[in-house]
């Protein structure tokens, strides 16, 4: 039986998690909750996507259900997670993708509605974080867990390969990140009013920003805690981002040896999660790529055998959404 998912928050990630789940024969979606959308508007947003294209399946409305083929998806519009009847709709695992209920106390409200487990589609201050291919096998039955961030999902597989093969002394990461829904089209007050640069126009600026993605790697690979940090630069593109990781390694490594390690992992233990390319690629080449991280072998530079810069691409929307579905499938099997 496919795992039955509920989705709370039908924004960018919520809609793409739904597409990814319905593309996966081992998953389905049985319920959606979003108090800020009508069912008709939710259908419209699912059908039309400026980045990933028009949805290729016919969608019908039957009362308060969205119907896609033989899949019937109940639509709710509750503001309080405890009031969403996930259990009645058959949702076993809830994707919490509002960006609001990101700690254990808040996300646990979904359990009151009948959900068995909740995956938060963002970093969490206190819920355990899992990155597929890196630490997912340490899952031990938590009801509330986090799929980390899209950038951590790109960075952590890179770090794992380097650390396993050569050892990491320390490192700095910069993600050159596509614009997201938190940004403004024209200059204005940023959300919360604290990040003044974040309120500047996403259309016309490269915007330095903070990110906890590198530090979060220390939570999924504990021996690297305190050895990595990083920042983001938001750029005026709609999708696809790029991690620039600079590390000092314990063991000597040539460019060829490091690329060989990435290539081996991409074809073996991290197949489908880590990619590897020697082609002359740019960001648009990775739109709708389902992998978490794709190493650009030709873009990396190496000052000496202990000091390296690695470049890796990721579709920060589609790759992340596919990993969330993969994580749901994994924990459902336990």
């Amino acid at each position: 039986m496919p795992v039955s998912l509920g989705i709370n928050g039908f924004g960018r990630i919520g809609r793409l998690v739904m597409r990814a789940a319905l593309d996966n024969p081992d998953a389905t979606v049985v319920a959606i909750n979003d108090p800020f959308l009508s069912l008709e508007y939710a259908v419209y947003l699912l059908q039309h996507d400026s980045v990933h294209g028009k949805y290729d399946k016919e969608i019908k409305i039957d009362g308060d259900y969205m119907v896609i083929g033989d899949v019937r998806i109940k639509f709710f519009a509750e503001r309080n997670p405890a009031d969403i009847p996930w259990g009645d709709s058959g949702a076993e695992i809830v994707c919490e993708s509002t960006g609001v209920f990101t700690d254990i106390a808040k996300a646990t409200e979904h359990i009151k509605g009948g959900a068995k487990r909740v995956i938060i589609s963002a970093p969490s201050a206190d819920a355990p974080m899992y990155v597929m291919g890196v630490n997912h096998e340490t899952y031990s039955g938590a009801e509330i867990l986090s799929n980390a961030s899209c950038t951590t999902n790109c960075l952590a597989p890179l770090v794992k390969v380097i650390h396993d093969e050569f050892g990491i002394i320390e490192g700095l990461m910069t993600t050159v990140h596509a614009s997201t829904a938190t940004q403004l089209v024209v200059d204005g007050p940023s959300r919360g009013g604290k990040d003044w640069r974040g309120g500047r126009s996403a259309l016309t600026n490269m915007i330095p920003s903070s990110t906890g993605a590198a530090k979060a790697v220390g939570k999924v690979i504990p021996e690297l805690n305190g050895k990595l940090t990083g920042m983001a630069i938001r750029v005026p593109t709609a999708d696809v981002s790029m991690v620039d990781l600079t590390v000092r390694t314990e063991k000597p490594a040539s460019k060829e040896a490091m690329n060989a390690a990435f290539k081996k992992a991409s074809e073996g233990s991290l197949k489908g999660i880590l990619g590897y390319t020697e082609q002359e690629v740019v960001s648009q080449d990775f739109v709708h790529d389902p992998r978490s991280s794709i190493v650009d072998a030709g873009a990396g530079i190496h000052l000496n055998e202990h000091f390296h810069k690695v470049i890796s691409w990721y579709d920060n929307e589609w790759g992340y959404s596919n990993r969330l579905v993969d994580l749901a499938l994994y924990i459902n099997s336990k």
Side-chain angles (χ1 to χ4, degrees), residues 179-180 183-190 196-207 234-237:
S179 300
T180 68
Q183 294 180 258
L184 303 179
V185 176
V186 297
D187 288 358
S190 63
W196 289 11
R197 285 194 276 204
R200 301 293 297 278
S201 169
L203 293 178
T204 56
N205 291 294
M206 295 186 291
I207 303 174
R234 297 294 185 93
V235 295
T237 57

Side-chain angles (χ1 to χ4, degrees), residues 47-273:
Q47 285 177 319
H48 303 280
D49 193 296
S50 300
V51 172
H52 301 280
K54 190 170 182 179
Y55 193 50
D56 60 2
K57 297 181 177 67
E58 182 182 11
I59 306 175
K60 298 178 181 179
I61 295 175
D62 181 11
D64 51 4
Y65 283 84
M66 185 185 300
V67 182
I68 304 174
D70 60 356
V71 178
R72 293 175 60 83
I73 304 157
K74 179 78 169 179
F75 189 82
F76 301 108
E78 301 289 348
R79 288 178 178 267
N80 182 359
D83 295 333
I84 309 166
W86 297 118
D88 293 345
S89 64
E92 301 167 285
I93 299 174
V94 168
C95 164
E96 168 46 57
S97 51
T98 64
V100 176
F101 308 103
T102 59
D103 61 30
I104 291 176
K106 292 176 181 177
T108 297
E109 294 296 295
H110 290 297
I111 304 297
K112 296 178 181 178
K116 295 178 181 178
R117 282 170 281 197
V118 180
I119 300 177
I120 301 166
S121 70
S124 173
D126 55 1
M129 288 195 288
Y130 297 96
V131 174
M132 292 300 296
V134 178
N135 75 325
H136 68 281
E137 292 181 348
T138 66
Y139 174 74
S140 57
E143 288 184 332
I144 312 299
L145 58 152
S146 163
N147 194 47
S149 72
C150 55
T151 301
T152 301
N153 271 264
C154 176
L155 177 62
L158 297 178
V159 168
K160 176 177 171 56
V161 172
I162 298 170
H163 189 60
D164 286 352
E165 293 291 328
F166 310 108
I168 291 177
I169 298 172
E170 59 190 355
L172 293 173
M173 179 219 69
T174 299
T175 174
V176 181
H177 202 289
S179 300
T180 68
T182 61
Q183 294 180 258
L184 303 179
V185 176
V186 297
D187 288 358
S190 63
R191 292 189 181 185
K194 294 180 180 179
D195 180 12
W196 289 11
R197 285 194 276 204
R200 301 293 297 278
S201 169
L203 293 178
T204 56
N205 291 294
M206 295 186 291
I207 303 174
S209 181
S210 63
T211 176
K215 289 183 179 179
V217 171
K219 293 187 176 182
V220 297
I221 307 176
E223 59 266 35
L224 291 178
N225 192 32
K227 294 185 177 183
L228 298 169
T229 191
M231 64 172 292
I233 300 174
R234 297 294 185 93
V235 295
T237 57
D239 187 32
V240 181
S241 302
M242 184 189 82
V243 155
D244 172 332
L245 171 66
T246 301
V247 293
R248 284 203 303 138
T249 58
E250 295 172 357
K251 299 177 184 177
S254 65
K255 176 180 181 178
E256 292 74 21
M258 188 162 286
N259 282 339
F262 288 131
K263 189 172 189 292
K264 180 181 178 181
S266 74
E267 296 170 349
S269 60
L270 292 175
K271 186 175 182 179
I273 295 172

